[in-house]
Amino acid sequence: MKLRIAIQKSGRLHDESLQLLKECGVSIDNGKDQLKAQAKNFPLEVYYLRNGDIPQYLKDGIVDCAIIGENVLIEKGEGIVITEKLGFSKCRVSLAVPKDFEYESLQDLDGKRIATSYPNTVLDFVAKKNISVDLHIINGSVEIAPNIGLADGICDIVSSGSTLFKNNLKEVAVLLKSEAVLAVSPTIMNEREEILEKLKFRIRAVLKGRDAKYVLLNAPNDSLKRIIEILPGMKSPTILPLSEEGWSSVHSVIPQGDFWEVIDKLKDAGAEGILVCPIEKMVL
């Protein structure tokens, strides 16, 4: 029996999903234009699907799990469980209007025409804000809608904002923030859940490795206590004596988000020869 996983057929999420599986040690026979592929060394079948179709495949039990944008699940995936947030393909779903639109608050959009591919998300948001909008549902690029008189504004995913800028639009409200997630079918069989747990174990090890750096440094022994207090290692740092009397080598792990702040403190505490290495995987 094999676990059936869906990923986006093409695009950035497709590439990053395959990269994650590769880092999990899963080798996939991935021929050009295939809609389904087999893993060579793990009980896994990969289905390449349109992003918007994946929630229904999960609901129907055609696939057991999927790597998908959280925003798509919020729009179409009611009842589907998110089991892991994956930390890549981050974006936001936002409202945008033409740059010459005199916008001061959400009330300025009351009664306006909004073009979007996310009608459920928009309606839920505006209902909570006690305003109403006239939706024009578009499956595809919506940025052009205000320029051709089809809508007063749009609601779409935003990453860098460059597409909005090119289309003379400005972002005025963020409805939600999104990233890639691992979602699970409500009908997954117990036997496949066991395979899923093994895959999740590997994914967590990769993600923890991505989010940390391995640090080696030299420190005078009289500064060790202060340096150890600074280091946020998994349990405690490794300390080894150097051949030079009065000095030790300290090995530890630093979370990526705290990296530069911790390094500055280590230098101030007397650390020297600081060496930083990437971590491929981290199993706790």
Side-chain angles (χ1 to χ4, degrees):
M1 181 170 289
K2 295 186 177 183
L3 182 72
R4 302 164 300 176
I5 187 170
I7 68 172
Q8 191 178 51
K9 187 176 181 181
S10 60
R12 179 184 168 193
L13 185 54
H14 166 92
D15 296 338
E16 291 181 305
S17 300
L18 288 180
Q19 179 61 33
L20 176 61
L21 292 176
K22 181 179 179 181
E23 291 180 36
C24 288
V26 179
S27 178
I28 299 169
D29 288 323
N30 186 23
K32 185 178 180 181
D33 297 327
Q34 280 186 309
L35 297 180
K36 186 171 75 169
Q38 307 286 331
K40 297 178 183 178
N41 55 352
F42 193 82
L44 189 73
E45 286 182 339
V46 181
Y47 289 67
Y48 300 108
L49 304 173
R50 287 179 64 251
N51 208 35
D53 293 339
I54 291 176
Q56 193 61 51
Y57 277 74
L58 287 167
K59 291 177 182 179
D60 293 342
I62 296 172
V63 296
D64 306 303
C65 60
I67 298 176
I68 185 173
E70 188 177 5
N71 57 298
V72 179
L73 282 186
I74 291 171
E75 176 66 26
K76 297 183 175 183
E78 184 179 358
I80 296 172
V81 174
I82 294 174
T83 185
E84 296 287 336
K85 293 198 172 187
L86 303 178
F88 58 84
S89 290
K90 292 186 177 182
C91 64
R92 54 196 182 273
V93 178
S94 296
L95 288 165
V97 296
K99 290 180 179 178
D100 59 3
F101 187 102
E102 295 183 4
Y103 179 89
E104 294 183 359
S105 71
L106 283 169
Q107 295 301 320
D108 295 324
L109 297 179
D110 192 27
K112 301 298 185 187
R113 297 170 298 164
I114 303 296
T116 188
S117 302
Y118 298 92
N120 295 327
T121 302
V122 174
L123 291 176
D124 182 60
F125 179 79
V126 298
K128 293 175 181 177
K129 302 299 180 179
N130 295 317
I131 63 174
S132 62
V133 295
D134 179 16
L135 288 186
H136 190 93
I137 300 171
I138 299 177
N139 294 317
S141 299
V142 300
E143 295 86 359
I144 194 174
N147 294 328
I148 60 175
L150 191 61
D152 301 300
I154 69 166
C155 180
D156 201 13
I157 57 171
V158 178
S159 295
S160 65
S162 61
T163 304
L164 295 181
F165 180 81
K166 292 175 183 176
N167 286 276
N168 202 36
L169 299 171
K170 60 184 179 182
E171 187 177 5
V172 294
V174 176
L175 280 63
L176 60 91
K177 294 184 178 180
S178 173
E179 63 184 89
V181 297
L182 181 66
V184 180
S185 168
T187 65
I188 186 171
M189 298 172 58
N190 290 338
E191 295 87 344
R192 290 191 171 115
E193 277 191 352
E194 293 177 7
I195 303 172
L196 176 63
E197 287 303 314
K198 293 179 181 179
L199 180 62
K200 286 165 59 178
F201 174 80
R202 296 189 184 192
I203 288 174
R204 289 169 184 156
V206 171
L207 296 181
K208 288 183 183 297
R210 288 182 180 180
D211 196 40
K213 297 291 184 183
Y214 189 77
V215 176
L216 303 86
L217 59 88
N218 297 330
N221 288 343
D222 57 8
S223 298
L224 280 177
K225 185 175 184 296
R226 185 181 172 195
I227 286 173
I228 291 171
E229 289 174 348
I230 294 170
L231 287 168
M234 290 181 287
K235 287 188 177 178
S236 64
T238 301
I239 302 174
L240 302 171
L242 294 179
S243 58
E244 183 176 343
E245 189 175 345
W247 284 78
S248 295
S249 174
V250 181
H251 300 213
S252 190
V253 173
I254 298 178
Q256 179 74 34
D258 302 330
F259 176 76
W260 287 111
E261 181 181 354
V262 172
I263 291 296
D264 288 339
K265 290 180 179 178
L266 290 172
K267 289 178 63 181
D268 291 342
E272 297 181 7
I274 301 173
L275 179 64
V276 181
C277 304
I279 299 174
E280 185 173 318
K281 297 166 184 74
M282 191 162 71
V283 180
L284 301 179

